[in-house]
């Protein structure tokens, strides 16, 4: 059964998804409570695993990653060991920023970055050469139209 969240918990989550760097005092002000109980609620949300962590959102282009692309991977075998082997390889690959398992004809969707077209082509070639990969389709992102936190609170 999902954890029951009240309106204040949902306000806290909404505010932290929008700005995870705000101070507890500012968060408490925004949700309409004093700082100590607000901090207790945040800690409880963290301990329950609802808040999984905090991270900075960086501009990949300013760091030299000009190409963002998606790779849709279809494996030859979906046996548990084959899936685990592919997942282990992907976890260790820095250029792969997200990896999702999918239902249907595609087994995995990868969100990847590359500094240039040559690196993009090399990454696709390396992905294609992996054991158990049947096909890969790629799509280069032209523009990011929307980038919201995953939970629509």
């Amino acid at each position: 059964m999902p954890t029951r969240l009240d309106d204040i918990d949902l306000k806290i989550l909404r505010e932290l998804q929008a700005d995870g760097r705000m101070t507890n005092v500012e968060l408490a002000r925004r949700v309409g409570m004093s700082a100590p109980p607000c901090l207790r609620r945040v800690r409880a949300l963290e301990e329950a695993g609802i808040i999984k962590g905090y991270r900075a959102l960086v501009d990949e282009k300013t760091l030299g990653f000009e190409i963002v692309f998606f790779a849709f991977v279809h494996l030859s075998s979906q046996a548990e060991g084959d899936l685990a082997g592919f997942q282990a390889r992907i976890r260790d690959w820095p250029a792969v920023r997200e990896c999702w398992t999918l239902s249907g004809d595609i087994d995995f969707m990868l969100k990847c970055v590359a500094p240039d077209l040559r690196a993009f082509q090399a990454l696709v070639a390396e992905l294609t050469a992996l054991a158990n990969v049947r096909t890969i389709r790629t799509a280069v992102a032209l523009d990011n139209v929307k980038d919201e936190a995953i939970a629509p609170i």
Side-chain angles (χ1 to χ4, degrees), residues 9-122:
D9 291 328
L10 293 173
K11 285 180 186 177
I12 288 170
L13 293 171
R14 191 176 307 115
E15 292 294 335
L16 287 176
Q17 278 192 143
D19 179 5
R21 285 182 48 107
M22 78 176 74
T23 66
N24 181 59
V25 171
E26 176 61 17
L27 177 61
R29 186 191 67 72
R30 289 186 187 187
V31 300
M33 64 188 319
S34 63
C38 183
L39 183 59
R40 283 193 295 275
R41 282 178 177 258
V42 170
R43 296 285 189 254
L45 291 166
E46 291 169 347
E47 289 170 11
I50 295 167
I51 296 176
K52 297 191 306 185
Y54 303 89
R55 65 173 79 167
L57 301 175
V58 299
D59 182 339
E60 67 279 353
K61 291 192 183 335
T62 63
L63 297 173
F65 296 100
E66 292 294 324
I67 297 177
V68 175
F69 69 97
F70 297 89
F72 304 92
V73 181
H74 183 206
L75 300 180
S76 298
S77 166
Q78 289 75 30
E80 191 171 320
D82 294 327
L83 293 172
F86 182 81
Q87 291 170 2
R89 174 61 180 105
I90 293 305
R91 280 188 191 100
D92 291 336
W93 212 329
V96 178
R97 305 313 301 158
E98 293 182 33
C99 176
W100 294 81
T101 57
L102 303 178
S103 64
D105 294 340
I106 302 299
D107 296 309
F108 294 93
M109 181 178 74
L110 314 177
K111 180 180 179 183
C112 308
V113 294
D116 54 35
L117 189 56
R118 180 167 286 152
F120 161 72
Q121 291 170 323

